[in-house]
Amino acid sequence: MSQPNTTLKPPAHSNELKVDFPADHVLLLTFNRPKSLNAMTPTMADDLRRVLDWFEAEPQLWVVIVTGAGRVFCAGADLKAQISRWNNDQQQNKTDEQQRIAADVYGFASISRRQSTKPIIAAVCGGAYGGGTEIVLNCDLVIAGEGSKFALPEVKRGRRNPQGVLLTTLKLASEMLFLGRAVDAAEAHARFGFVNRVVPPSEVLPTALSIAEEIIANSPDAVQSSKEGLLISQKLDFHGTLLAHTGSRASTRVYKGENIKVCRMIRTVNTQAITFRVADWYVFDLFDHRRA
């Protein structure tokens, strides 16, 4: 594993969120309310918004992993904080909850509707419920511990999921939204398709870190441009996506930036490996399969 950058200085945040740099170019965010099953408070949500906005702008960070301390990834919104807000709204005759949701461009926990061009990995142990599942569904890669549960149970309580749900088909989305039942990690992987890998609980974070290492071994410009293309494709048809993506700033960085320029090539005769060093950051091996 690459050594973390110790010079990075994240924004101020409370102890409800842990911020770490487990490897170079990798940010690790841990929801840190284990006694409350990492239920999301306004304080934690504000912490996440500030830190993730900083992450977006920090060129030395290319991937973020989000996980939860203790036995649950995130149990959704903190009901005590919600009830307090609802009571205050009632006393002040406020009826603007729908407007607040629409104006919240980043969604639940500043993640569920965030359109980041940098990869977001969820490392889930125990389970994710309500808003916790909404977070997971907007992550690019999801590593789940065996036996983990995912649920969108809002309909059982007379509410809905306002902060964004994206599944592979409307029928699968309907099943989770209308029934409100929990699905386990195996089903989320094999049938619903929003979990990439199911591993023993002790291997969840190591697996997520290993995947992050694989990502940062690639060109950050190419990775971010590729993700931008996926985001655009959710809004436009194929032709529109092609045109918008080809002319984007992220694509320009790929085609005209330093990372595409090969600075040195060394052939190792014994292993037939070709090593390319691109700019100052990018080293990878390609194996030459030509016969000796």
Side-chain angles (χ1 to χ4, degrees), residues 148-170:
S148 294
K149 304 288 186 182
F150 301 86
L152 297 167
E154 280 79 356
V155 292
K156 294 180 179 294
R157 296 163 177 80
R159 294 184 61 78
R160 69 182 186 92
N161 295 84
Q163 297 288 17
V165 174
L166 178 65
L167 287 168
T168 52
T169 71
L170 289 177

Side-chain angles (χ1 to χ4, degrees), residues 39-292:
M40 191 64 51
T41 65
T43 296
M44 194 193 298
D46 287 343
D47 288 341
L48 284 161
R49 178 184 55 78
R50 284 193 301 274
V51 174
L52 285 169
D53 285 351
W54 168 77
F55 162 76
E56 301 280 7
E58 174 50 62
Q60 292 301 312
L61 291 173
W62 303 346
V63 180
V64 59
I65 300 170
V66 292
T67 191
R71 60 191 180 91
V72 169
F73 174 78
C74 176
D78 184 274
L79 293 182
K80 291 181 180 179
Q82 273 199 341
I83 291 171
S84 176
R85 190 190 71 195
W86 291 336
N87 288 340
N88 289 336
D89 287 351
Q90 291 293 321
Q91 292 172 5
Q92 299 176 36
N93 200 30
K94 287 184 177 180
T95 58
D96 63 344
E97 183 175 4
Q98 290 166 290
Q99 290 84 352
R100 288 203 304 267
I101 290 171
D104 186 5
V105 295
Y106 293 146
F108 184 81
S110 197
I111 297 175
S112 71
R113 286 160 57 191
R114 182 174 286 268
Q115 300 285 284
S116 173
T117 58
K118 297 181 179 182
I120 304 174
I121 302 172
V124 181
C125 278
Y129 303 92
T133 293
E134 291 178 356
I135 291 172
V136 168
L137 291 174
N138 197 44
C139 289
D140 302 295
L141 296 161
V142 180
I143 312 305
E146 294 169 348
S148 294
K149 304 288 186 182
F150 301 86
L152 297 167
E154 280 79 356
V155 292
K156 294 180 179 294
R157 296 163 177 80
R159 294 184 61 78
R160 69 182 186 92
N161 295 84
Q163 297 288 17
V165 174
L166 178 65
L167 287 168
T168 52
T169 71
L170 289 177
K171 289 182 174 58
L172 292 174
S174 298
E175 183 172 334
M176 288 198 73
L177 288 167
F178 301 166
L179 275 62
R181 72 174 181 85
V183 300
D184 66 18
E187 189 176 11
H189 171 65
R191 193 161 77 86
F192 286 86
F194 63 84
V195 167
N196 296 85
R197 298 187 191 178
V198 180
V199 299
S202 62
E203 294 299 314
V204 169
L205 190 54
T207 301
L209 288 169
S210 176
I211 289 175
E213 287 276 337
E214 288 189 57
I215 293 172
I216 65 171
N218 300 320
S219 160
D221 292 342
V223 169
Q224 290 167 34
S225 178
S226 297
K227 182 173 177 185
E228 181 188 56
L230 293 175
L231 294 173
I232 294 172
S233 71
Q234 295 173 17
K235 303 173 184 177
L236 302 176
D237 62 17
F238 176 81
H239 184 66
T241 296
L242 176 65
L243 294 179
H245 189 213
T246 301
S248 71
R249 291 170 58 187
S251 288
T252 299
R253 289 201 310 270
V254 171
Y255 290 113
K256 297 185 178 180
E258 290 298 317
N259 292 333
I260 202 170
K261 297 177 182 177
V262 178
C263 297
R264 185 175 65 176
M265 181 176 74
I266 301 173
R267 181 185 302 275
T268 305
V269 177
N270 292 335
T271 61
Q272 292 187 309
I274 302 174
T275 300
F276 296 87
R277 182 180 300 276
V278 183
D280 293 324
W281 60 269
Y282 183 30
V283 179
F284 65 97
D285 292 328
L286 295 176
F287 287 92
D288 185 354
H289 295 292
R290 289 173 297 180
R291 295 181 180 178

